[in-house]
């Protein structure tokens, strides 16, 4: 026993000596994050080489970014400034993981669509240009406006400007969360841990930092909520000062993203109601509720009428699908199954286990934290709201079993996770209260937070799409690009004024440079026409009547997959990977002129016929 | 703004950044000027105007600066869209400078008489760095730069399918009937091709030999000798063969030239 004790003292002395002689903790954590990023970049590079590297080192890289920050943030004697810097480092480092995955072009499904909007602004010097794939986006020009500013002032493309813009949005998100949580909890230790828990949201690593309108509007929403929290406790003479950022942020959200603006109205309404019935003298946000509601509805009526037609069916389908699943009329959706026929591998058992463990840890953390928050903070409207949000998150998990509702649940989780993160952080702190086995419990906390972050990331993005795929590769000392990218560049140079019908991935690549237009999916029955082996009488006239100049016949089955279809074709089983040759020949038999042929992709001119 | 050094600096910085962003041709230099001009300077000026004498701690200040700056970018395009000329480099630069100058002026008017602290500006002190800190910081930066360099370096991918694209479009610019034909190589190695172009049935076939490096493109303008006063469309076909497989059709493109007298 004495020997053990002296060894423990020795270890503590060594720790103190390291702390005194070692680098400052912030720089040491910066080094850890840099090494983690380097590891992620290395594994992505191996994957881009067309290999199939193990994902284990990649996740170790992510953990190298997350775990040291978790550990430091869980400590008691860390200054506010250091925690603030750590949170910023964590947010930006995890964003960099996405950047090193996609360093050349936007490849996520929504990104080329929004890049098109931004390029159109540069082309026409105005907003509200029609978007052929997602028309609703042209009614919300906030992202295109912000990107156009950076494009104009720097000369960069939408890709470069978008990467910089989303980096600032991500920085705003984590810092706003920290300020919001600090104000509501009164503890920057709780706030730092809550931000780490929020990084475990399934959309944090990838989806939430894609170049898309929600990636910009959500951080502004959280900043507005933080401003409200500050306003609540401000001296009466200073309350009005907070109105400027709140009003400015509200207007920016309204013109940037539909769902976020409605979420803002709902949250403010809930805050106003809680403030009204709490009976405590604090500034009620009802004037801002009215302002936000009028602005959102006004914008919907004036500039974004198509939103109703866009969101209505999605919500209706989610509702119907949930009813069918509950009543047993439809089979529940299998978890960890990609709906894409092009998904090449299933999520391994260990990864599934980590994800389920993350949900379990969140559940335990919520239960542990809820009691404490309820006892200590229930007089605060925000704390009540966070409790509700956390509980609603677990309710929304049930929707993930409904085939047409899981996406709605996934999107809602970004908002609900704000509340959940706050409550779970309180639960996490209970684990590291002073007492016996403190070091072990601290290690358990760091492991639990790591599980939450990795589990969330696995749940949020298809397993086979976590790593980069070959998009631009070197050959003979020069660079070559994938077939869809080369097609898009050819169109940009030689046929930018035309309209194309193409499969999902091809259409997005065609759009990204901002000149040519492309229709895909259900629009003009493109999804039906392209893969079939013979043409029907109505099909070409339909395309012709809608001024489609060219049709892109792509034999790759993966071309219908907007997440996986933009990369180099890696041959597997021919029958599984390619559509029948007749799907291309049907256009040649009309006969239509073949304007472009790169093997699996052939472009036919609808007007080019005898 | 006299007497409020922070506001003076913000205003001067905005004008300087606008000049750099609008006048210089180098993307990176413009980016370094554009980010403060677009986000931080307007954000700071707006926060200064709305909070006047109310001192914010650095954490809240940074959040508000970022939030207000990004909000101005989201809304600024809508303002510019309403003006003749629309959204351009100059109009963005002018708008942002105007926002900074106007709100900084508003802040100066709302603030109480300048104190010695505000005259001298906020005092920022850098933490004292030891050698071990510098080494650690450099190593961290090196790791980040290494990660980015690795990410931005295209690597060979042997099992990715190389391909060649062949394209043909009517040549609208030339004086006579002609087509433009392009060959783009995205093969892994240098590749030799034979290109055969013919018009109509039994027409003369022109043959071209070419060798392309990976990533290289060659464009031909091919005149199509056509009969005058032809009454039916003529099909022009271009076929590409790999030099080492001369009998195996590799790529084919076609187009129809309309009836007429020719140009």
């Amino acid at each position: 026993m004495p020997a053990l004790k002296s060894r423990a003292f020795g270890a503590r002395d060594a720790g103190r000596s390291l702390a005194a002689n070692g680098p400052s903790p912030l720089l040491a954590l910066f080094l850890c994050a840099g090494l983690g990023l380097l590891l992620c970049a290395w594994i992505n590079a191996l994957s881009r080489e067309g290999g199939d590297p193990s994902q284990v080192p990649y996740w170790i890289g992510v953990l190298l970014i997350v775990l040291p920050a978790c550990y430091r943030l869980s400590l008691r004697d860390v200054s506010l400034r250091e925690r603030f810097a750590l949170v910023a480092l964590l947010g930006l480092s995890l964003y960099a993981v996405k950047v090193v995955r996609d360093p050349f072009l936007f490849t996520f499904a929504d990104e080329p669509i929004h890049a098109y909007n931004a390029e159109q602004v540069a082309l026409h010097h105005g907003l509200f240009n029609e978007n052929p794939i997602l028309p609703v986006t042209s009614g919300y020009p906030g992202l295109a406006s912000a990107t156009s500013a950076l494009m104009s002032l720097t000369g960069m493309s939408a890709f470069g400007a978008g990467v910089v813009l989303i980096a600032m949005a991500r920085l705003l998100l984590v810092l706003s969360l920290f300020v919001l949580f600090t104000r509501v909890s009164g503890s920057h230790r709780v706030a730092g841990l809550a931000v780490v828990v929020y990084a475990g949201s399934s959309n944090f690593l990838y989806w939430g930092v894609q170049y898309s309108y929600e990636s910009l509007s959500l951080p502004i929403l959280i900043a507005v909520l933080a401003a409200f929290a500050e306003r609540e406790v401000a001296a009466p003479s200073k309350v009005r000062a907070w109105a400027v950022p709140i009003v400015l942020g509200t207007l920016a959200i309204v013109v940037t993203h539909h769902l976020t603006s409605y979420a803002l109205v709902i949250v403010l309404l809930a805050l106003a109601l809680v403030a009204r019935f709490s009976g405590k003298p604090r500034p009620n946000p009802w004037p801002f509720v009215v302002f936000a509601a009028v602005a959102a509805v006004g914008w919907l009526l004036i500039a974004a009428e198509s939103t109703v037609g866009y969101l209505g069916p999605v919500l209706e389908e989610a509702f119907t699908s949930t009813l069918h699943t509950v009543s047993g009329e439809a089979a529940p959706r299998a978890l960890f199954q990609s709906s894409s026929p092009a998904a090449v591998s299933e999520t391994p058992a260990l990864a599934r286990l980590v994800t389920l463990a993350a949900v379990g840890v969140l559940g335990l953390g919520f239960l542990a934290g809820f009691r404490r928050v309820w006892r200590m903070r229930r007089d605060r409207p925000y704390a009540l709201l966070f409790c509700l949000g956390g509980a609603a998150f677990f309710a929304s998990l049930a929707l993930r079993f409904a085939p047409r509702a899981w996406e709605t649940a996934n999107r809602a989780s970004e908002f609900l996770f704000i509340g959940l993160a706050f409550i779970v952080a309180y639960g996490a702190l209970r684990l590291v209260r002073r007492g016996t086995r403190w070091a072990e419990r601290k290690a358990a906390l760091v492991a639990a937070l790591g599980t939450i972050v990795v589990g969330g990331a696995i749940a949020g993005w298809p397993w086979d799409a976590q790593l980069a795929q070959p998009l631009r590769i070197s050959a003979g000392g020069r660079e070559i690009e994938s077939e869809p990218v080369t097609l898009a560049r050819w169109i940009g140079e030689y046929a930018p004024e035309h309209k194309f019908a193409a499969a999902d991935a091809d259409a997005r690549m065609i759009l990204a440079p901002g000149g040519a237009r492309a229709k895909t999916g259900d629009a003009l029955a493109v999804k039906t026409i392209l893969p079939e082996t013979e043409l029907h009488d109505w099909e070409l006239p339909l395309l012709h009547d809608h001024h489609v100049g060219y049709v892109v016949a792509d034999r790759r089955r993966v071309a219908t997959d907007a997440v996986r279809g933009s990369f180099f074709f890696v041959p597997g089983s021919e029958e599984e990977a390619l559509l029948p040759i007749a799907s291309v020949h049907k256009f040649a038999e009309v006969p239509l002129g073949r304007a472009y042929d790169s093997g699996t992709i052939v472009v036919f001119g609808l007007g080019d016929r005898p | 703004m006299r007497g409020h050094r922070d506001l003076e600096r913000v205003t001067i910085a905005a004008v300087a950044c606008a000049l750099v962003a609008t006048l210089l041709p180098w993307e990176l230099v413009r980016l370094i000027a554009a980010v403060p001009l677009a986000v931080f300077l307007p954000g700071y000026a707006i926060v200064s105007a709305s909070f006047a004498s109310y001192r914010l701690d650095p954490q809240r200040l940074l959040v508000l600066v970022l939030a207000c700056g990004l909000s101005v970018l989201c809304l600024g395009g809508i303002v510019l869209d309403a003006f003749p000329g629309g959204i351009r480099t100059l109009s963005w630069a002018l708008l942002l400078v105007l926002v900074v100058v106007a709100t900084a002026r508003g802040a100066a008017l709302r603030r109480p008489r300048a104190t010695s602290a505000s005259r001298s500006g906020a005092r920022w002190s850098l933490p004292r760095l030891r050698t071990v800190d510098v080494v650690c910081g450099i190593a961290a930066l090196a790791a980040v730069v290494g990660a980015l360099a690795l990410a931005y370096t295209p690597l060979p991918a042997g099992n990715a399918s190389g391909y060649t694209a062949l394209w043909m479009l009517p040549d609208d610019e030339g004086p006579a009937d002609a087509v433009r034909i392009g060959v783009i190589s995205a093969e892994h190695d240098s590749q030799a091709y034979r290109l055969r172009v013919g018009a109509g049935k039994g027409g003369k076939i022109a043959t071209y030999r070419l060798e392309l490096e990976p990533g290289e493109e060659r464009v031909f303008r091919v005149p199509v000798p056509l009969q005058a006063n032809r009454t039916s469309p003529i099909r022009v076909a271009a076929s590409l063969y790999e030099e080492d497989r001369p009998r195996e059709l590799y790529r084919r493109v076609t187009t129809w030239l309309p009836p007429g007298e020719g140009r």
Side-chain angles (χ1 to χ4, degrees):
Chain A
M1 198 66 180
L4 269 178
K5 204 176 247 180
S6 78
R7 206 179 301 159
F9 277 122
R12 199 173 296 166
D13 288 345
R16 279 181 189 150
S17 165
L18 186 68
N21 299 321
S24 84
L26 190 59
L27 286 171
L29 264 58
F30 181 27
L31 178 58
C32 287
L35 293 174
L37 186 65
L38 187 59
L39 195 51
C40 291
W42 178 55
I43 299 301
N44 271 310
L46 291 179
S47 182
R48 277 192 285 123
E49 280 186 316
D52 188 17
S54 163
Q55 286 197 24
V56 173
Y58 169 77
W59 293 111
I60 291 174
V62 172
L63 287 173
L64 255 176
I65 295 169
V66 175
L67 294 187
C70 284
Y71 174 77
R72 188 73 189 155
L73 286 167
S74 72
L75 297 181
R76 196 182 291 266
D77 49 356
V78 175
S79 70
L80 168 65
R81 279 192 177 191
E82 189 184 329
R83 284 190 208 278
F84 192 71
L86 278 175
V87 161
L89 177 67
L90 179 72
L92 289 178
S93 303
L94 289 177
Y95 174 63
V97 171
K98 194 263 181 187
V99 174
V100 298
R101 180 192 180 276
D102 278 327
F104 302 118
L105 293 169
F106 288 134
T107 63
F108 285 27
D110 286 355
E111 291 182 327
I113 294 170
H114 289 285
Y116 173 82
N117 288 346
E119 294 285 358
Q120 285 282 299
V121 175
L123 204 62
H124 300 296
H125 309 293
L127 300 173
F128 306 105
N129 302 295
E130 184 201 349
N131 187 296
I133 293 186
L134 205 53
V136 72
T137 57
S138 57
Y140 293 91
L143 179 69
S145 165
T147 314
S148 79
L150 288 179
M151 288 169 71
S152 306
L153 294 170
T154 61
M156 294 165 90
S157 66
F159 175 73
V163 168
V164 174
L165 184 67
I166 299 299
M168 286 190 284
R170 173 43 57 95
L171 184 63
L172 176 62
L173 183 130
V174 288
L175 297 183
S176 302
L177 277 174
F178 183 79
V179 167
L180 172 65
F181 291 146
T182 303
R183 175 54 67 200
V184 179
S185 67
S187 157
H188 47 81
R189 191 178 176 205
V190 170
L193 287 175
V195 175
V196 177
V197 177
Y198 188 83
S201 157
S202 57
N203 290 332
F204 191 87
L205 190 65
Y206 282 147
W207 200 89
V209 282
Q210 66 173 328
Y211 175 69
S212 175
Y213 44 8
E214 192 174 334
S215 307
L216 179 59
S217 62
L218 182 65
I220 300 176
L221 168 84
I222 297 171
V224 169
L225 295 183
F228 269 109
E230 294 293 333
R231 179 179 172 272
E232 215 174 59
V233 294
S237 61
K238 306 297 177 198
V239 166
R240 283 179 64 188
W242 291 95
V244 174
I246 289 171
V247 167
L248 205 55
T250 301
L251 290 175
I253 291 167
V254 164
V255 302
T256 302
H257 188 232
H258 37 74
L259 276 179
T260 312
S261 63
Y262 309 144
L264 176 67
V265 174
I266 291 168
V267 171
L268 293 187
L269 184 63
L271 282 175
L273 289 174
V274 173
R276 169 75 181 79
F277 292 111
S278 68
K280 297 215 168 180
R282 53 166 63 93
N284 192 308
W286 70 263
F288 295 99
V289 181
V290 175
F291 175 74
V294 168
V297 173
W299 189 258
L300 177 75
L301 296 176
I302 295 166
E305 277 179 324
S306 63
T307 312
V308 178
Y310 171 68
L311 288 180
V314 175
L315 297 175
E316 193 184 324
E317 274 182 14
F319 182 70
T320 316
S321 177
T322 307
L323 280 185
H324 287 168
T325 307
V326 170
S327 65
E329 286 176 54
R333 170 179 170 267
L335 296 177
F336 304 106
Q337 297 282 321
S338 174
S339 57
S340 166
V344 293
S345 64
E346 283 192 348
T347 309
L350 181 62
R352 295 177 187 212
L353 197 66
V354 171
T355 305
L356 294 175
V359 176
V361 170
L362 285 172
L364 288 174
F366 182 74
L367 288 177
F370 182 81
R371 281 177 56 199
R372 194 169 167 80
V373 172
W374 188 256
R375 211 172 57 237
M376 293 171 59
R377 307 270 162 200
R378 69 170 181 265
D379 60 326
R380 301 214 170 172
Y382 267 107
L384 283 177
L385 210 60
F386 289 160
C387 288
L388 272 175
F393 170 78
F394 290 105
S396 77
L397 289 180
L399 293 181
R400 290 179 182 255
F401 290 96
R404 307 300 292 261
W406 75 268
E407 196 177 346
T408 306
N410 190 38
R411 301 285 288 272
S413 73
E414 281 192 312
F415 300 97
L416 302 176
F417 224 91
I418 300 170
L420 180 69
F422 182 81
I423 308 293
V424 171
Y426 269 95
L429 271 192
R430 289 193 70 178
L431 199 62
V432 284
R433 279 182 301 183
R434 295 271 177 198
T436 56
R437 293 177 169 272
W438 183 64
E440 287 89 337
R441 283 187 283 116
K442 203 157 57 176
L445 170 70
V446 172
L449 291 176
T451 306
I452 288 174
V453 173
V454 172
I458 292 171
W461 203 247
W463 180 257
D464 63 318
Q466 294 277 357
L467 298 181
Q469 297 299 311
L471 186 75
R472 179 182 297 172
I473 62 175
S474 80
R478 302 168 73 124
E479 291 177 10
I480 56 175
E481 293 180 306
S482 69
E483 269 189 83
V485 176
T486 300
L487 169 72
R489 293 202 191 282
W490 176 76
I491 289 172
E493 190 166 353
Y494 297 106
E497 70 281 9
H498 288 285
K499 192 172 177 180
F500 292 77
D504 297 70
D506 297 333
R508 282 166 167 78
M509 282 296 123
I510 291 168
L511 273 197
R517 291 157 296 154
K519 287 283 185 185
T520 190
D522 291 325
L524 308 182
V526 172
K527 196 165 76 177
T528 309
I529 296 171
L530 289 181
E532 62 191 8
T533 51
E534 54 187 48
L535 281 171
H536 297 97
D537 292 343
W538 56 271
E539 291 174 338
L540 290 187
L542 175 73
L543 296 175
H544 194 264
D545 290 349
H546 286 84
H547 311 292
V548 173
Y550 292 92
V551 61
V552 179
D554 191 339
R555 286 189 68 202
R556 302 171 311 135
R557 287 186 190 278
V558 77
T560 57
D561 186 328
V563 172
R564 302 170 180 85
S566 308
F567 305 100
F568 266 93
F569 185 47
V570 179
S573 162
E574 286 286 300
E575 287 76 22
E576 279 175 21
L578 293 176
L579 292 168
I581 190 84
S583 64
V584 174
H585 279 181
K586 66 178 185 276
F587 295 110
E589 285 167 3
V590 172
L592 298 178
R594 294 161 70 105
Y596 177 99
D597 178 1
S598 62
T600 54
I601 299 178
V602 181
V603 179
F604 293 92
L606 287 179
D608 188 10
R609 53 200 296 184
Chain B
M1 271 164 276
R2 190 168 298 161
H4 300 283
R5 192 159 290 178
D6 60 329
L7 299 176
E8 283 173 11
R9 285 176 179 170
V10 163
T11 308
I12 293 165
V15 175
C17 288
L19 289 173
V20 170
T22 50
L23 297 179
L24 294 186
W26 306 293
E27 221 172 66
L28 186 64
V29 177
R30 290 174 73 185
L31 178 67
I32 292 167
V35 170
L37 173 65
V39 180
F40 292 100
L41 299 175
Y44 183 83
I46 290 169
V47 173
S48 300
S50 50
F51 286 85
S53 59
Y54 186 28
R55 290 185 71 86
L56 289 162
D57 60 49
Q59 293 79 35
R60 283 165 184 80
L61 178 65
L62 181 56
V63 166
L64 288 176
V65 164
L66 268 172
C68 291
L70 289 174
S71 298
V72 166
L73 288 189
C74 293
L75 297 165
I78 296 169
V79 174
L80 293 178
D81 191 50
F83 282 90
I87 300 169
R88 292 167 192 273
T89 305
L90 189 62
S91 57
W92 262 119
L94 284 175
L95 176 75
L96 292 168
V97 169
L98 196 66
V99 167
V100 172
V101 171
T103 49
R105 175 77 183 139
L109 291 174
R110 291 193 65 212
R111 272 185 188 176
R113 194 185 155 90
T115 61
S116 58
S118 70
R119 269 198 297 271
S120 59
R123 296 229 179 262
W124 294 88
S125 59
L126 281 173
R128 232 186 69 213
L129 292 176
R130 295 166 299 157
T131 310
V132 67
D133 292 328
V134 175
V135 170
C136 188
I138 289 172
L141 274 177
V144 172
V145 171
L148 293 175
L150 196 55
Y152 282 93
T153 306
L155 300 167
N159 63 345
S161 287
Y163 62 93
T164 299
L166 174 68
W167 60 267
M168 176 162 63
L169 291 170
D171 185 17
D172 301 327
E173 292 162 11
D177 282 309
V179 289
R180 273 182 305 163
I181 299 174
V183 184
I184 306 165
S185 170
E187 305 285 355
H188 287 280
D189 301 301
S190 172
Q191 182 75 46
Y193 305 92
R194 189 178 298 177
L195 177 68
R196 293 160 63 92
V197 186
K201 281 182 185 167
K204 190 182 166 192
I205 291 176
T207 302
Y208 302 83
R209 283 197 166 82
L210 63 152
E211 185 166 348
L212 296 179
E213 294 297 319
E216 196 181 354
E217 178 178 17
R218 186 82 51 85
V219 180
F220 301 88
R221 184 176 174 277
V222 181
V224 183
L226 297 172
Q227 282 182 326
N229 300 322
R230 63 187 187 274
T231 53
S232 59
I234 297 244
R235 182 170 179 265
V236 182
S239 306
L240 189 73
Y241 298 84
E242 289 173 299
E243 192 67 73
D244 51 355
R245 291 183 211 166
R247 294 176 186 282
E248 205 173 302
L249 179 63
Y250 190 41
R251 301 281 183 261
R252 167 166 284 193
V253 287
T254 58
T255 190
W256 293 89
L257 294 181
E261 294 182 2
R263 283 176 290 147

